[in-house]
Amino acid sequence: MDFASICLSFFRKGRGGITGAALLSLVFVTTLVTWVWLLPLPNELQKSPSGTLTLLDCRGRGIAELASLEARTQFPVALEQMGPWLPRMTVALEDRRFYQHRGVDWRATVAACARNLRSRHIVSGASTITQQLVKLANSRDRRSWSGKLYEAIVAWKLERRWSKQRILSEYLNRSSYGNRRLGPEAAARAYFGKLARDLTLSEAIFMAGLPQAPTRFNPWRHPEEANRKYARSLGRLADLGVITRDQQSLLAEPPKILRNDPPRFAPHFVDAIVTRNPGLRGTVRTTLDLDVQATVERLVRSHLSALNRHDISQSAVVVVENATGAIRAMVGSENYAVSQINGATQPQSCGSTLKPFVYLEAIDKRLFTAASLLPDTPDAIRNEYADYDPQNYSHHYFGPVRLREALGCSLNVPAVFVLSQLGARPTFYQLQKWGFNFPQGLDDYGAGFVLGNAETRLVDLAAAYAGLARGGTAMRAKFLASEHQPLTRIASAEATAVITDILRDNDARQKSFGLRSPLAFEERVAAKTGTSSGFRDTWTVGFDKEHTVAVWAGNFDGRPMRDTFAVRAATPLWATIMQELLRRDHPLDPPVEDEKVVRRDICKTTGLLPSRFSAATTNELFLAGTEPNEDSADYFASDGKLLLPDAYTRWCASRDNMIGAHVQSDFRITSPPPNARYQIDPVLAPSQQMVELSAACGSEVEWFVNGARVAPERDGRFFWQLAAGEWNVRAVSRGKLAEQTITVETMSN
C-alpha cells in the first residue's frame, strides 16, 4: 500500500482515527520536510575557494599576489594549518556551543528572538558558525526573517553532510578580516607578517574579533576601534573561562600591527602571464629567477641613465635559459610606474636579427658555405628584385665577400642575394617555424623582411636564438614551470654549429664594427645586432652555453634615435648582462671536427683553396662534402690582381673598389645587349623609358650614341633616353673601343 492509500484510510476512520485536519497537518509537515531535504546547498559551498593567484619564482620565492574581484588576498588552508589558537578563540567568541548544536543554537535563537521582539526589529541574530557560513556563501548583507529561516534550514542540512572541522575550516577561510583579506592566512600575513599557524594567543584573539565588523575594526584605518574590540574579546573569553584572569592581565597590551603589502616584482612578466593564462588560479611556480631579474632591472636603469639621451627613452630585456626555454628575466620598460607597455612582448621592426636564420637555411641546404663569395654590389639583386634597392648602413659596397664576413658585418645586399636563391616565400615560412609570429604576411613585407621590415617580439627573438644555442631546435619561451613546449628540430646541428661559430667571430665583424666593439668578448659568445630603418629600433641578441640574452632599445612612440646604431644603444647593455651571467655561466664549446663537419685552410680573398696568389689564408668550417676542391689561381691575374666575373663590372669601376679588382672578360658592352630591340610606350613618361649603358672590364668609360656623347648622371651611371630609329652605341675606355647597334620603335596605340 502506498503513502496516498494510507492517508486515505486514516481519513475514512472518522473520530476513532486521525482527523482530516490532522492528516492535512501531516501532509504539510511531510511536504515541508521533503522540501527542506531537497533544498540544494548554495553553489558557492559546493566548490572550495580558489584563493588568490600567487606567482612564485623558479626557487619558490614570491613574485606577486594578484587581487580578484572578491578579495585582495585569500589563501585557503586546512584547519590544522591555522595554528592551535585561532579556531578555538573564534568558536568561543562566535559560537561557543558550536560542537554541541546541529546547525542552529535554539537557546541562543530564543534569546535573540526575545530581544528582537522587544526592539521590534532585528538587533541580534544568534547565528551559529554554520549559519554564518551559509550567509557568506550566499553573500547576504541585509538582515531579514526569510533570510534567517533559509540559513537555519541549510545549516541544519549542512551539519548532516559535513563534519564540524570542515564547516569551521570553510567558515574561517571565507571570513573577511578587513582590507579585503579573506581567511586567517591572508590576514596573518598582512597584519603580523607570519603564517596563521604561527600566531600567538594574543594575535589569534585580536584576529578572531575582526570578522564581526571588518570595516569598523579595520586595524590599519581604525586601530583604536580594533584595540577596543580586542579588549572586549579578552573580557568575554575570561568570562567564559577560555582564558584565566591572569592571562587576561598578561595579554592586556594589544599585539603590534604591521602593514605587509603583497610582493610585486617583475610587473611586465606578471602581466604577460595573466594575459596568456586568464583562468590561472592558486599558487603557481613560474620560470622567473628573481636574482637575475633584479640584476637585469638594475642594469637597464643604469644603462639608460648612462646614455642620458632624450631620443632613447626605453629598453627591454629577455633572458632565456637555453636548455629549457625558461624565461629567467623579463624587463618590459625602464619604469613600470611610468610605462606599462611591455617592450618584451610588443612587436617591433627587428632589423638584421633574422639574417642568421636565412644563412643557416642556405648552408643547411648546401647552396652556400661559410666561405662562399657573395656579391655586395648595387646591382647584385636587380634581376631578381627590380624594385628593391637595399643599401648598407655604411653606404659602401665591399664587392665580393665571404658569407662569414657578410653575416659578421651584417651586410644587406648579400643577405637579400641569398634570400633570392632560397626563395622569399619558403624562407618566410621557415622563419615562422622558429617561433616568429609576424603580424602581417609576406606580401606586406616583401623581400625586405630579411632586413627588418617585419616586426617581431623580443621574447620570440630570444627563444629563437636559444634554439641556435641548442643546436637547431625550436621551442617557444616558457613562462610557467609546468608548461610543456614541444621541441622541434628545424636545422641540422652541423649547419647550426657553423652559424654559431660565425656569430661569435669578432674578426668576421671587423669591417663593420672594428675589433674593440662591445660585441668583442674574450670568451666564446655568439652575438648579432639589428637596427631598423629610420633608426627607430635597435637590437642585440646573443648567447653563451647556458643563457640567451635579447635587448631592445628605442622609444615606444616610434621616435627615431638620431642615426644611433644598435652597437651604441643596445649592445653595451647586452654585453654588461652577458658579463654578469658569465660569472656563473660557461662560454660556448668550440665546434668539433668529425665526419659531418670538417675544417679547411682557404684563401681569405676568394674562399677557395689557397694558391700562390693568396695573400692571406684562414681556417674555415664546412659541412662534409661542401668544402672547396679547387684553388684560387684562376681568380688572379699574373700581376696578382683579383679577377671577378662580369656581375662585378659596375662595382669594379666604382670608388668602392679599393682592392684594384677587375673583371675577367675583355672590354665589351654589357648593356644594352647586342642587337637589342626596344619599343617606346606612348603612355609612359619619357623619364621612365631609358636604358642604362654599362661595359665590362673597363674604367673611365666614355659613351657615344650615333656619335653624340652621353653625360653621366650624378651617381656616375650612364642612361640614354630612348628615341625611335637605329642607333650605334659606342664605349671608349683607355684606347679600347666596343660598339653595337640597337633598334628603337614606337609602339602603336
Side-chain angles (χ1 to χ4, degrees):
M1 184 177 294
D2 59 18
F3 181 79
S5 301
I6 294 175
C7 291
L8 185 60
S9 65
F10 280 141
F11 184 80
R12 289 172 176 170
K13 286 184 178 180
R15 292 185 179 180
I18 298 177
T19 65
L23 180 59
L24 289 176
S25 299
L26 175 63
V27 172
F28 172 77
V29 171
T30 304
T31 302
L32 179 62
V33 171
T34 302
W35 176 79
V36 169
W37 191 251
L38 294 178
L39 187 67
L41 296 179
N43 290 332
E44 192 64 25
L45 279 182
Q46 298 181 37
K47 56 182 180 180
S48 299
S50 58
T52 297
L53 173 57
T54 304
L55 300 179
L56 309 178
D57 84 336
C58 62
R59 302 181 189 181
R61 296 169 294 187
I63 297 175
E65 296 168 4
L66 304 182
S68 65
L69 294 176
E70 296 78 21
R72 178 61 190 88
T73 53
Q74 181 184 26
F75 307 107
V77 293
L79 192 63
E80 56 269 19
Q81 292 179 290
M82 298 180 189
W85 300 115
L86 182 64
R88 183 182 172 191
M89 297 301 109
T90 300
V91 168
L93 292 172
E94 291 290 330
D95 186 4
R96 62 192 177 94
R97 283 185 289 273
F98 173 68
Y99 290 103
Q100 286 76 48
H101 64 66
R102 299 302 302 272
V104 179
D105 187 344
W106 295 110
R107 290 169 56 185
T109 300
V110 170
C113 287
R115 289 192 295 271
N116 294 335
L117 288 173
R118 285 195 299 270
S119 302
R120 296 186 179 183
H121 67 278
I122 299 176
V123 296
S124 177
S127 294
T128 64
I129 284 177
T130 313
Q131 289 172 284
Q132 292 183 58
L133 173 59
V134 176
K135 177 182 177 181
L136 290 172
N138 279 323
S139 301
R140 183 177 68 85
D141 295 324
R142 297 182 61 187
R143 293 179 175 182
S144 66
W145 289 108
S146 60
K148 296 291 292 182
L149 177 61
Y150 171 81
E151 289 161 10
I153 293 172
V154 176
W156 175 81
K157 183 175 180 179
L158 190 63
E159 290 265 358
R160 281 149 182 79
R161 294 196 177 186
W162 288 7
S163 67
K164 289 288 187 178
Q165 288 73 19
R166 182 178 179 184
I167 291 172
L168 182 57
S169 174
E170 291 282 347
Y171 166 73
L172 289 170
N173 278 320
R174 296 170 188 269
S175 294
S176 172
Y177 290 83
N179 296 296
R180 300 188 68 224
R181 266 64 179 182
L182 298 188
E185 188 72 11
R189 294 188 193 183
Y191 301 143
F192 302 111
K194 59 176 65 175
L195 302 179
R197 66 188 178 194
D198 298 325
L199 290 172
T200 64
L201 176 58
S202 64
E203 292 167 347
I205 294 172
F206 186 94
M207 277 183 44
L210 298 181
Q212 292 182 8
T215 300
R216 182 154 52 97
F217 302 146
N218 187 320
W220 292 341
R221 294 186 177 182
H222 310 294
E224 298 84 3
E225 286 287 338
N227 290 338
R228 282 194 286 270
K229 174 59 182 173
Y230 172 73
R232 290 196 298 273
S233 296
L234 279 179
R236 174 66 174 161
L237 292 170
D239 292 343
L240 294 173
V242 178
I243 61 173
T244 65
R245 295 298 177 183
D246 289 341
Q247 285 178 308
Q248 182 182 6
S249 299
L250 290 172
L251 299 174
E253 183 69 23
K256 183 179 180 181
I257 299 298
L258 306 176
R259 179 159 188 158
N260 292 296
D261 289 319
R264 181 70 172 179
F265 301 111
H268 284 109
F269 179 77
V270 171
D271 288 351
I273 286 181
V274 173
T275 301
R276 287 164 50 92
N277 307 274
L280 208 57
R281 295 292 183 271
T283 300
V284 179
R285 187 173 291 239
T286 72
T287 60
L288 199 79
D289 187 323
L290 279 176
D291 293 336
V292 180
Q293 177 73 18
T295 298
V296 172
E297 288 179 356
R298 172 175 56 82
L299 293 177
V300 167
R301 291 191 295 269
S302 176
H303 172 67
L304 290 174
S305 176
L307 283 177
N308 193 27
R309 292 179 51 162
H310 73 276
D311 60 335
I312 304 176
S313 62
Q314 291 294 348
S315 186
V317 178
V318 174
V319 179
V320 170
E321 185 178 77
N322 296 333
T324 63
I327 297 173
R328 295 308 187 200
M330 175 183 284
V331 176
S333 70
E334 185 269 341
N335 188 337
Y336 184 83
V338 175
S339 175
Q340 288 79 54
I341 297 174
N342 190 347
T345 58
Q346 175 108 346
Q348 308 279 3
S349 296
C350 58
S352 299
T353 56
L354 301 180
K355 288 176 181 175
F357 300 94
V358 177
Y359 286 116
L360 172 58
E361 180 76 358
I363 290 176
D364 212 13
K365 287 187 173 182
R366 298 173 175 256
L367 295 177
F368 297 95
T369 71
S372 296
L373 277 189
L374 302 176
D376 183 31
T377 65
D379 49 358
I381 61 169
R382 190 160 296 154
N383 290 337
E384 187 71 25
Y385 302 113
D387 298 329
Y388 190 41
D389 186 25
Q391 298 182 5
N392 297 320
Y393 280 104
S394 65
H395 301 293
H396 294 291
Y397 296 93
F398 292 94
V401 291
R402 287 178 289 117
L403 185 148
R404 177 177 287 269
E405 291 181 301
L407 176 54
C409 294
S410 197
L411 302 179
N412 287 338
V413 174
V416 179
F417 176 79
V418 171
L419 179 69
S420 70
Q421 306 304 300
L422 286 168
R425 196 164 298 278
T427 304
F428 188 77
Y429 294 150
Q430 187 75 0
L431 286 171
Q432 292 176 323
K433 293 179 183 178
W434 283 101
F436 293 107
N437 294 318
F438 302 115
Q440 302 180 66
L442 176 62
D443 294 337
D444 299 296
Y445 298 124
F449 74 83
V450 73
L451 304 183
N453 289 359
E455 304 90 355
T456 192
R457 305 190 309 165
L458 190 67
V459 64
D460 295 335
L461 187 69
Y465 272 78
L468 296 180
R470 286 190 299 269
T473 57
M475 179 169 59
R476 295 189 181 276
K478 291 172 57 175
F479 289 77
L480 304 179
S482 60
E483 266 185 84
H484 173 72
Q485 294 290 355
L487 189 67
T488 307
R489 177 157 295 283
I490 307 298
S492 71
E494 299 77 45
T496 307
V498 175
I499 290 297
T500 299
D501 189 67
I502 295 174
L503 294 178
R504 66 90 210 159
D505 188 352
N506 198 47
D507 288 335
R509 292 189 281 260
Q510 180 179 354
K511 290 180 180 178
S512 289
F513 300 95
L515 289 175
R516 299 184 181 275
S517 76
L519 296 168
F521 274 68
E522 293 183 2
E523 303 90 343
R524 291 180 61 88
V525 176
K528 182 72 185 74
T529 65
T531 303
S532 67
S533 60
F535 300 94
R536 287 178 170 81
D537 305 277
T538 58
W539 310 70
T540 302
V541 57
F543 50 89
D544 60 18
K545 194 171 184 179
E546 283 81 17
H547 292 97
T548 293
V549 178
V551 174
W552 170 88
N555 301 295
F556 290 143
D557 60 5
R559 288 182 294 118
M561 293 176 285
R562 292 188 325 202
D563 297 343
T564 300
F565 293 97
V567 74
R568 292 195 291 269
T571 306
L573 174 58
W574 172 87
T576 304
I577 295 172
M578 188 59 72
Q579 287 164 354
E580 284 288 331
L581 292 174
L582 282 169
R583 295 176 183 269
R584 298 173 299 276
D585 286 4
H586 300 84
L588 297 169
D589 294 327
V592 178
E593 186 176 2
D594 54 23
E595 68 279 0
K596 294 183 178 180
V597 179
V598 298
R599 284 188 175 275
R600 293 290 184 270
D601 287 332
I602 59 169
C603 170
K604 208 168 185 179
T605 304
T606 65
L608 300 174
L609 296 176
S611 69
R612 62 188 179 91
F613 298 104
S614 300
T617 62
T618 187
N619 192 260
E620 187 55 272
L621 287 170
F622 297 91
L623 302 187
T626 66
E627 62 271 24
N629 51 25
E630 59 182 49
D631 64 31
S632 61
D634 290 341
Y635 266 78
F636 293 95
S638 58
D639 60 357
K641 296 291 186 180
L642 184 63
L643 296 174
L644 296 173
D646 289 349
Y648 291 90
T649 296
R650 182 181 165 196
W651 179 82
C652 284
S654 72
R655 286 176 291 182
D656 287 332
N657 182 8
M658 306 296 292
I659 58 177
H662 53 87
V663 294
Q664 294 174 335
S665 307
D666 295 330
F667 181 65
R668 60 186 175 84
I669 295 174
T670 56
S671 176
N675 301 316
R677 301 182 70 89
Y678 297 92
Q679 286 187 327
I680 299 175
D681 190 333
V683 177
L684 293 177
S687 60
Q688 294 178 313
Q689 303 188 72
M690 304 177 76
V691 61
E692 183 175 4
L693 308 177
S694 62
C697 202
S699 60
E700 300 179 6
V701 180
E702 289 184 293
W703 291 93
F704 302 87
V705 178
N706 279 6
R709 188 175 183 277
V710 179
E713 299 292 320
R714 291 183 179 180
D715 60 358
R717 299 162 68 181
F718 292 87
F719 291 91
W720 177 68
Q721 175 72 59
L722 292 179
E726 190 172 281
W727 304 90
N728 173 262
V729 180
R730 178 183 299 175
V732 180
S733 174
R734 295 184 178 182
K736 298 179 181 179
L737 183 145
E739 60 182 342
Q740 58 194 37
T741 301
I742 64 171
T743 302
V744 181
E745 302 171 345
T746 300
M747 183 187 301
S748 59
N749 289 328

